[in-house]
Amino acid sequence: MIEVDLVKEAVRQRKARSETFLGFEYLRFSDDFKDIPRGTAIFQDTVIWGYPHIGRIFILERGLKEQFKNPFWVEEKVDGYNVRVFKVGDRVIALSRGGYICPFTTDRLPDFIDLKFFEDNPDLILCAEVAGPENPYIEESPPFVEEDVRFFVFDIMRKNEQGFLSQEDKLRLIENYSLPSVEVFGKFQREDVGELKELLLRLNEEGREGVVFKEESEENRRAKYITSYANLSDIKVTTKNMLQLPPEYYTNRVLRLVLFMEEEGIERTEHLYEELGRAFIDGLFEAIEQFKREHKVYRTFRCRFRSRDNAVALMELLHRTSRHIQVIERELKQEGDYWILTFDKVFLNMTGLLGHLLSGGLVFD
Amino acid sequence: MIEVDLVKEAVRQRKARSETFLGFEYLRFSDDFKDIPRGTAIFQDTVIWGYPHIGRIFILERGLKEQFKNPFWVEEKVDGYNVRVFKVGDRVIALSRGGYICPFTTDRLPDFIDLKFFEDNPDLILCAEVAGPENPYIEESPPFVEEDVRFFVFDIMRKNEQGFLSQEDKLRLIENYSLPSVEVFGKFQREDVGELKELLLRLNEEGREGVVFKEESEENRRAKYITSYANLSDIKVTTKNMLQLPPEYYTNRVLRLVLFMEEEGIERTEHLYEELGRAFIDGLFEAIEQFKREHKVYRTFRCRFRSRDNAVALMELLHRTSRHIQVIERELKQEGDYWILTFDKVFLNMTGLLGHLLSGGLVFD
């Protein structure tokens, strides 16, 4: 539990605030506050802890030696957005990493999992990644999700508790309820670094994001490790809107890319140089061309809903929470069993900068 | 002149401070303060105004239309460091852009220019770029300076006055005293954009940095425009020490590069993608390899002095003014008429980060 005084202090410091959405009223931690991670939510007396930060290692060999004393599980890290799914009263809802109730994920839960899981386990929380080309939040999507989105469970938490169920309990529940989950590559030791390097090289070639290491121990230490493919892809997908992200987003990824190559012994080929150059350049060209044509820089998103109300609620959420982005609905129409929502995110910073530069403005730097 | 009260206020706010160096005592503006640019220096009653900021245009065609109503001179922008050279008492000294007395430039002045200029014109200040592979400050050097450094006058100021001599007066003095200067491409109008695009394309192919436009008018409006070559080169030369610069240094240059290509109609070839990728990757590889070999990331500088004392003074200045950089002297020895100083700049941020990452440390981001 979280002490009442701590909650009051967080509210006073504007690190936590009351949210009313989709008929729920709850308290949301909008920032880390002392030991409470951002995204932690309190529904009446129930605390849904925020998903904790996981540190990144840049070098497999020394990193595993340094971070793990015990055997650890290796699981795929899927490139999507993080949700926590649980039962409140008689409804099952999904919270985003930041602690917002996500109308899209909540709407689609019956497509992803058998909700009987929550009837049998009302105190459990599924932590999952939602990934695919038709999601409302992120522009990246793993190559193995070709349409719509898919749901990948990777952890199970208990209400009012920090920490996770053991790997054994998690895998048993995943099996019993046929929950879709991330790929589990097995249990390894830090001496298995040769095998793990091969695994990562394969994931890199397959365009997958990376892995999470989860120690089998009381401390349950964790770390993640990302492929150079994912670093390249992060750059490529976001340059159209380069001003939205902190610039170190890009320099960090270039550094990670080089460290991955260095450790995996990947040669610096012309092709690889070319890929990085292309990742930076093409999105910016696209932004300039789009600006010249339409006087704004934007990207169109599309996603499917079971219920029209949830699509409307998503638009409301995006309007309310988007910063430096204007969200414009294009269309909401029924197609077969689904409502298809199409909307644009107009990147206001990039639109403003290109407007200034292309009209001949001066920049002092 | 600058009001005494304003100077006092600047000192109080720590925007100006007293400096004692090479036998001079003067006041140096370490930051912009109201209308006084950083680098402004006051020697007793003489004000040496800081070299003003010049805005950058990203698009030639619209930029020239927007910025200039009158004909303007087009001059080469040389990639070096900016100095102001003038007489104080019976000595001629060079101030850096930031207002430090530069022992290196000051030492070498007799190699660059006929000092009779200052006997005849004790109230004038030469604004010049010093560029070449053997300079103590910057890692870039124009391809047309193959060894040592060269000195390129581009403006003349008068003591105690802001603003510059007219182009006519400047060119006359340059000719009369055979001063080395930047290339002057001539006087243009904003309608000459076709010709200017061709000029810039040629400069780009020749690996030159760009141009400065100087309006022939009372306002003497100015703007600069940089080639994509220079943007690429800025990235390539600095990635070994990527943490030293603000990350937007890199994202800005990628954006400028793309805008230059777009306006100049440069095709996005594989070669160009490759060049940008290489610019980012190779310096980082070099840093990692150097760290593994020598446990630090550094670059070696070498420069020539006429007098040993000035070499010692440069080391003192660098020790005192370098942030996040450790300066280590390697050697100071006489060779022919010169003293050759060799020293390393150890990039402490990059050294620290690679130390953490390569030993398997975790990063939370």
Side-chain angles (χ1 to χ4, degrees), chain A residues 126-140:
Chain A
L126 294 179
C127 303
E129 199 81 358
V130 181
E134 293 182 18
N135 85 77
Y137 300 119
I138 62 168
E139 294 157 19
E140 272 173 290

Side-chain angles (χ1 to χ4, degrees), chain A residues 55-56 58 62 67 247-248 255-256 262 268 273 277-278 282 285 292 353 357-358 360 363-365, chain B residues 55-56 58 62 67 248 255-256 262 268 273 277-278 282 285 292 353 357-358 360 362-365:
Chain A
R56 176 193 308 277
F58 288 67
R62 293 294 305 271
Q67 301 305 326
E248 56 271 27
L255 181 61
R256 289 185 211 157
E262 217 269 344
R268 281 177 278 171
Y273 289 129
R278 193 185 291 276
D282 281 1
F285 253 98
K292 287 186 160 181
L353 179 68
L357 298 182
L358 295 176
V363 172
F364 289 85
D365 50 11
Chain B
R56 176 193 307 278
F58 287 66
R62 292 294 305 272
Q67 302 304 326
E248 56 271 27
L255 181 61
R256 289 185 211 157
E262 217 269 345
R268 281 177 278 171
Y273 289 130
R278 193 185 292 275
D282 281 2
F285 253 97
K292 287 186 161 182
L353 179 68
L357 298 182
L358 295 175
L362 277 188
V363 173
F364 289 86
D365 50 9

Side-chain angles (χ1 to χ4, degrees), chain A residues 204-219:
Chain A
N204 190 46
E205 278 155 17
E206 292 172 6
R208 291 157 82 176
E209 192 188 14
V211 296
V212 179
F213 305 103
K214 300 177 175 177
E215 196 178 59
E216 198 168 56
S217 69
E218 194 58 36
E219 300 91 341

Side-chain angles (χ1 to χ4, degrees), chain A residues 22-221:
Chain A
L22 297 182
F24 294 95
E25 194 178 340
Y26 67 105
L27 194 84
R28 180 178 73 85
F29 282 78
S30 50
D31 289 289
D32 289 345
F33 179 71
K34 305 200 173 174
D35 291 340
I36 305 167
R38 182 177 83 94
T40 296
I42 306 181
F43 288 77
Q44 312 231 308
D45 286 340
T46 305
V47 179
I48 309 297
W49 282 90
Y51 193 82
H53 304 283
I54 296 183
R56 176 193 308 277
I57 54 172
F58 288 67
I59 293 293
L60 218 42
E61 184 149 1
R62 293 294 305 271
L64 294 176
K65 279 219 178 69
E66 193 63 29
Q67 301 305 326
F68 300 110
K69 310 290 164 252
N70 302 292
F72 47 81
W73 291 88
V74 180
E75 299 185 353
E76 178 167 16
K77 182 171 181 347
V78 173
D79 201 356
Y81 63 90
N82 174 303
V83 292
R84 285 158 291 151
V85 180
F86 52 95
K87 196 160 191 235
V88 196
D90 57 354
R91 288 161 71 187
V92 178
I93 61 174
L95 284 188
S96 70
R97 185 90 186 239
Y100 290 104
I101 299 173
C102 170
F104 171 69
T105 317
T106 300
D107 177 274
R108 300 294 306 279
L109 287 173
D111 293 341
F112 304 146
I113 49 175
D114 181 354
L115 294 178
K116 184 165 181 304
F117 174 86
F118 292 104
E119 283 170 35
D120 300 347
N121 304 284
D123 59 334
L124 294 187
I125 304 166
L126 294 179
C127 303
E129 199 81 358
V130 181
E134 293 182 18
N135 85 77
Y137 300 119
I138 62 168
E139 294 157 19
E140 272 173 290
S141 152
F144 52 88
V145 184
E146 286 175 11
E147 58 164 354
D148 197 10
V149 289
R150 281 168 55 196
F151 186 87
F152 302 90
V153 173
F154 53 79
D155 269 315
I156 301 181
M157 299 171 85
R158 204 176 287 281
K159 286 176 180 170
N160 298 313
E161 287 182 25
Q162 274 186 295
F164 304 100
L165 297 200
S166 71
Q167 186 78 2
E168 196 188 343
D169 290 347
K170 176 182 80 176
L171 292 180
R172 192 175 34 74
L173 286 164
I174 284 175
E175 196 185 331
N176 288 352
Y177 290 90
S178 302
L179 298 173
S181 70
V182 299
E183 188 171 345
V184 179
F185 298 113
K187 192 155 68 170
F188 293 81
Q189 316 232 21
R190 55 189 193 169
E191 289 73 26
D192 302 328
V193 66
E195 210 177 324
L196 288 170
K197 277 192 187 178
E198 270 174 45
L199 169 66
L200 264 302
L201 211 50
R202 173 166 72 78
L203 295 183
N204 190 46
E205 278 155 17
E206 292 172 6
R208 291 157 82 176
E209 192 188 14
V211 296
V212 179
F213 305 103
K214 300 177 175 177
E215 196 178 59
E216 198 168 56
S217 69
E218 194 58 36
E219 300 91 341
N220 188 219
R221 290 174 63 99

